[in-house]
Amino acid sequence: MLIYTYNDKEVEISETANGQDVEFRIRVIGEGSMDKRIKEVQQDFEHNSVLTDVLFYAYLNHEYQFIVRQDYYSEFILSLMKHRILISVTWTG
């Protein structure tokens, strides 16, 4: 299992199981480069050969939804870390 942390003054992240997928809701708080970083995460998965690994939806007010296939969960979390949306990621038991 992965445990992650983020700066709650920049972003709010919620994670919900949705059948075989995991749904992430991400809301950017305030101004800054976070919207650009979230779109970079989107591009990571749009430019690979698997069409259904991560689905991305953008909403008003800097809100985003990612629907992540379970087998791409770790890769998605690491992409959030790579683009500095997350502060830390830790593997647990």
Side-chain angles (χ1 to χ4, degrees), residues 14-42:
S14 67
E15 175 183 337
T16 308
N18 184 0
Q20 295 294 322
D21 302 323
V22 179
E23 179 180 322
F24 287 86
R25 291 277 184 167
I26 301 174
R27 186 171 77 87
V28 174
I29 301 169
E31 300 300 318
S33 64
M34 193 61 72
D35 287 298
K36 181 178 184 281
R37 292 185 221 166
I38 289 172
K39 290 179 181 171
E40 289 170 347
V41 171
Q42 172 194 5

Short mmCIF file of all heavy atoms in Angstrom, two decimals, residues 14-42:
data_model
loop_
_atom_site.label_atom_id
_atom_site.label_comp_id
_atom_site.label_asym_id
_atom_site.label_seq_id
_atom_site.Cartn_x
_atom_site.Cartn_y
_atom_site.Cartn_z
N SER A 14 -8.80 13.72 -2.90
CA SER A 14 -9.60 12.64 -2.32
C SER A 14 -9.49 11.43 -3.23
O SER A 14 -9.37 11.55 -4.44
CB SER A 14 -11.06 13.06 -2.12
OG SER A 14 -11.69 13.25 -3.36
N GLU A 15 -9.53 10.27 -2.62
CA GLU A 15 -9.35 9.00 -3.33
C GLU A 15 -10.48 8.07 -2.92
O GLU A 15 -10.73 7.89 -1.73
CB GLU A 15 -7.99 8.42 -2.94
CG GLU A 15 -7.69 7.08 -3.50
CD GLU A 15 -6.36 6.55 -3.01
OE1 GLU A 15 -5.47 7.34 -2.61
OE2 GLU A 15 -6.21 5.31 -3.02
N THR A 16 -11.19 7.50 -3.92
CA THR A 16 -12.32 6.63 -3.65
C THR A 16 -12.25 5.40 -4.55
O THR A 16 -12.01 5.53 -5.75
CB THR A 16 -13.65 7.37 -3.94
OG1 THR A 16 -13.66 8.61 -3.26
CG2 THR A 16 -14.84 6.55 -3.53
N ALA A 17 -12.47 4.23 -3.96
CA ALA A 17 -12.56 3.01 -4.77
C ALA A 17 -13.83 3.08 -5.60
O ALA A 17 -14.88 3.50 -5.13
CB ALA A 17 -12.57 1.78 -3.88
N ASN A 18 -13.73 2.65 -6.86
CA ASN A 18 -14.86 2.69 -7.78
C ASN A 18 -14.83 1.42 -8.62
O ASN A 18 -14.33 1.42 -9.74
CB ASN A 18 -14.77 3.95 -8.64
CG ASN A 18 -15.95 4.13 -9.56
OD1 ASN A 18 -16.87 3.32 -9.57
ND2 ASN A 18 -15.93 5.20 -10.33
N GLY A 19 -15.32 0.32 -8.06
CA GLY A 19 -15.24 -0.97 -8.77
C GLY A 19 -13.80 -1.41 -8.91
O GLY A 19 -13.06 -1.49 -7.93
N GLN A 20 -13.38 -1.64 -10.13
CA GLN A 20 -12.00 -2.05 -10.42
C GLN A 20 -11.06 -0.85 -10.54
O GLN A 20 -9.86 -1.02 -10.78
CB GLN A 20 -11.95 -2.86 -11.71
CG GLN A 20 -12.67 -4.18 -11.63
CD GLN A 20 -12.00 -5.13 -10.65
OE1 GLN A 20 -10.78 -5.18 -10.54
NE2 GLN A 20 -12.81 -5.87 -9.91
N ASP A 21 -11.60 0.35 -10.41
CA ASP A 21 -10.81 1.57 -10.58
C ASP A 21 -10.70 2.33 -9.27
O ASP A 21 -11.37 2.02 -8.29
CB ASP A 21 -11.48 2.48 -11.61
CG ASP A 21 -11.66 1.82 -12.96
OD1 ASP A 21 -10.77 1.04 -13.36
OD2 ASP A 21 -12.69 2.07 -13.61
N VAL A 22 -9.85 3.35 -9.28
CA VAL A 22 -9.74 4.28 -8.16
C VAL A 22 -9.99 5.67 -8.72
O VAL A 22 -9.39 6.06 -9.72
CB VAL A 22 -8.35 4.21 -7.49
CG1 VAL A 22 -8.26 5.20 -6.35
CG2 VAL A 22 -8.05 2.80 -7.01
N GLU A 23 -10.88 6.40 -8.08
CA GLU A 23 -11.21 7.75 -8.53
C GLU A 23 -10.51 8.76 -7.64
O GLU A 23 -10.61 8.71 -6.42
CB GLU A 23 -12.72 7.96 -8.46
CG GLU A 23 -13.16 9.33 -8.88
CD GLU A 23 -14.66 9.50 -8.79
OE1 GLU A 23 -15.40 8.56 -9.11
OE2 GLU A 23 -15.08 10.60 -8.36
N PHE A 24 -9.79 9.68 -8.27
CA PHE A 24 -9.12 10.77 -7.58
C PHE A 24 -9.82 12.07 -7.95
O PHE A 24 -10.06 12.33 -9.12
CB PHE A 24 -7.65 10.87 -8.00
CG PHE A 24 -6.78 9.79 -7.43
CD1 PHE A 24 -6.67 8.57 -8.08
CD2 PHE A 24 -6.08 9.99 -6.26
CE1 PHE A 24 -5.87 7.57 -7.57
CE2 PHE A 24 -5.27 8.99 -5.75
CZ PHE A 24 -5.17 7.78 -6.40
N ARG A 25 -10.13 12.86 -6.94
CA ARG A 25 -10.63 14.22 -7.13
C ARG A 25 -9.54 15.15 -6.61
O ARG A 25 -9.10 15.01 -5.46
CB ARG A 25 -11.92 14.46 -6.35
CG ARG A 25 -13.10 13.71 -6.88
CD ARG A 25 -13.70 14.48 -8.01
NE ARG A 25 -14.91 13.81 -8.46
CZ ARG A 25 -15.77 14.37 -9.26
NH1 ARG A 25 -15.57 15.59 -9.70
NH2 ARG A 25 -16.83 13.72 -9.65
N ILE A 26 -9.11 16.06 -7.46
CA ILE A 26 -8.05 16.98 -7.09
C ILE A 26 -8.56 18.40 -7.32
O ILE A 26 -9.05 18.71 -8.41
CB ILE A 26 -6.77 16.73 -7.91
CG1 ILE A 26 -6.28 15.29 -7.68
CG2 ILE A 26 -5.69 17.75 -7.54
CD1 ILE A 26 -5.10 14.89 -8.54
N ARG A 27 -8.45 19.22 -6.30
CA ARG A 27 -8.86 20.62 -6.41
C ARG A 27 -7.68 21.50 -6.05
O ARG A 27 -7.07 21.34 -4.99
CB ARG A 27 -10.03 20.93 -5.48
CG ARG A 27 -10.58 22.35 -5.68
CD ARG A 27 -11.86 22.57 -4.90
NE ARG A 27 -11.62 22.77 -3.49
CZ ARG A 27 -11.37 23.95 -2.94
NH1 ARG A 27 -11.28 25.03 -3.67
NH2 ARG A 27 -11.19 24.03 -1.63
N VAL A 28 -7.35 22.41 -6.97
CA VAL A 28 -6.25 23.34 -6.75
C VAL A 28 -6.77 24.51 -5.92
O VAL A 28 -7.83 25.06 -6.21
CB VAL A 28 -5.68 23.84 -8.09
CG1 VAL A 28 -4.63 24.92 -7.87
CG2 VAL A 28 -5.12 22.67 -8.89
N ILE A 29 -6.03 24.85 -4.89
CA ILE A 29 -6.38 25.96 -4.00
C ILE A 29 -5.44 27.11 -4.30
O ILE A 29 -4.23 26.93 -4.30
CB ILE A 29 -6.26 25.54 -2.53
CG1 ILE A 29 -7.16 24.35 -2.25
CG2 ILE A 29 -6.57 26.69 -1.60
CD1 ILE A 29 -6.92 23.69 -0.92
N GLY A 30 -5.97 28.28 -4.52
CA GLY A 30 -5.14 29.45 -4.77
C GLY A 30 -4.54 29.45 -6.16
O GLY A 30 -4.93 28.69 -7.04
N GLU A 31 -3.59 30.30 -6.33
CA GLU A 31 -2.92 30.47 -7.63
C GLU A 31 -1.60 29.71 -7.63
O GLU A 31 -1.15 29.22 -6.61
CB GLU A 31 -2.67 31.96 -7.89
CG GLU A 31 -3.93 32.79 -7.93
CD GLU A 31 -4.91 32.36 -9.00
OE1 GLU A 31 -4.48 32.05 -10.13
OE2 GLU A 31 -6.11 32.32 -8.71
N GLY A 32 -0.98 29.65 -8.77
CA GLY A 32 0.31 28.99 -8.85
C GLY A 32 0.39 28.07 -10.05
O GLY A 32 -0.45 28.10 -10.94
N SER A 33 1.40 27.24 -10.04
CA SER A 33 1.67 26.37 -11.18
C SER A 33 1.03 24.99 -11.05
O SER A 33 1.27 24.12 -11.86
CB SER A 33 3.17 26.21 -11.34
OG SER A 33 3.71 25.56 -10.21
N MET A 34 0.19 24.79 -10.03
CA MET A 34 -0.37 23.46 -9.79
C MET A 34 -1.26 22.97 -10.94
O MET A 34 -1.24 21.80 -11.29
CB MET A 34 -1.14 23.45 -8.47
CG MET A 34 -1.49 22.08 -7.97
SD MET A 34 -0.08 21.02 -7.61
CE MET A 34 0.56 21.76 -6.13
N ASP A 35 -2.05 23.86 -11.55
CA ASP A 35 -2.88 23.45 -12.69
C ASP A 35 -2.01 22.90 -13.82
O ASP A 35 -2.33 21.88 -14.42
CB ASP A 35 -3.72 24.62 -13.21
CG ASP A 35 -4.87 24.98 -12.29
OD1 ASP A 35 -5.75 24.13 -12.09
OD2 ASP A 35 -4.87 26.10 -11.77
N LYS A 36 -0.91 23.57 -14.08
CA LYS A 36 0.01 23.12 -15.13
C LYS A 36 0.59 21.74 -14.78
O LYS A 36 0.69 20.86 -15.64
CB LYS A 36 1.14 24.13 -15.30
CG LYS A 36 2.14 23.77 -16.37
CD LYS A 36 3.20 24.85 -16.50
CE LYS A 36 4.16 24.58 -17.62
NZ LYS A 36 5.18 23.61 -17.31
N ARG A 37 0.93 21.53 -13.52
CA ARG A 37 1.49 20.24 -13.09
C ARG A 37 0.46 19.12 -13.23
O ARG A 37 0.81 18.00 -13.63
CB ARG A 37 1.96 20.33 -11.64
CG ARG A 37 3.14 21.22 -11.45
CD ARG A 37 3.60 21.14 -10.03
NE ARG A 37 3.96 22.47 -9.55
CZ ARG A 37 4.15 22.76 -8.29
NH1 ARG A 37 3.98 21.85 -7.35
NH2 ARG A 37 4.49 23.97 -7.93
N ILE A 38 -0.79 19.41 -12.92
CA ILE A 38 -1.83 18.39 -13.05
C ILE A 38 -2.00 18.01 -14.52
O ILE A 38 -2.15 16.83 -14.86
CB ILE A 38 -3.15 18.87 -12.43
CG1 ILE A 38 -2.99 18.88 -10.90
CG2 ILE A 38 -4.32 18.00 -12.86
CD1 ILE A 38 -4.14 19.50 -10.15
N LYS A 39 -1.93 18.99 -15.41
CA LYS A 39 -2.04 18.70 -16.84
C LYS A 39 -0.83 17.91 -17.34
O LYS A 39 -0.94 17.13 -18.29
CB LYS A 39 -2.27 19.98 -17.62
CG LYS A 39 -3.66 20.52 -17.32
CD LYS A 39 -3.97 21.79 -18.01
CE LYS A 39 -5.37 22.21 -17.59
NZ LYS A 39 -5.74 23.51 -18.01
N GLU A 40 0.32 18.09 -16.71
CA GLU A 40 1.49 17.28 -17.06
C GLU A 40 1.28 15.82 -16.68
O GLU A 40 1.72 14.91 -17.39
CB GLU A 40 2.75 17.85 -16.40
CG GLU A 40 3.18 19.16 -17.00
CD GLU A 40 4.28 19.86 -16.22
OE1 GLU A 40 4.55 19.47 -15.06
OE2 GLU A 40 4.85 20.82 -16.76
N VAL A 41 0.60 15.57 -15.54
CA VAL A 41 0.25 14.20 -15.16
C VAL A 41 -0.66 13.61 -16.23
O VAL A 41 -0.47 12.48 -16.69
CB VAL A 41 -0.44 14.16 -13.77
CG1 VAL A 41 -0.98 12.77 -13.49
CG2 VAL A 41 0.52 14.60 -12.69
N GLN A 42 -1.65 14.37 -16.66
CA GLN A 42 -2.55 13.93 -17.72
C GLN A 42 -1.76 13.54 -18.96
O GLN A 42 -2.00 12.49 -19.56
CB GLN A 42 -3.55 15.04 -18.06
CG GLN A 42 -4.41 14.75 -19.27
CD GLN A 42 -5.14 15.97 -19.80
OE1 GLN A 42 -4.94 17.08 -19.32
NE2 GLN A 42 -5.98 15.75 -20.78
#
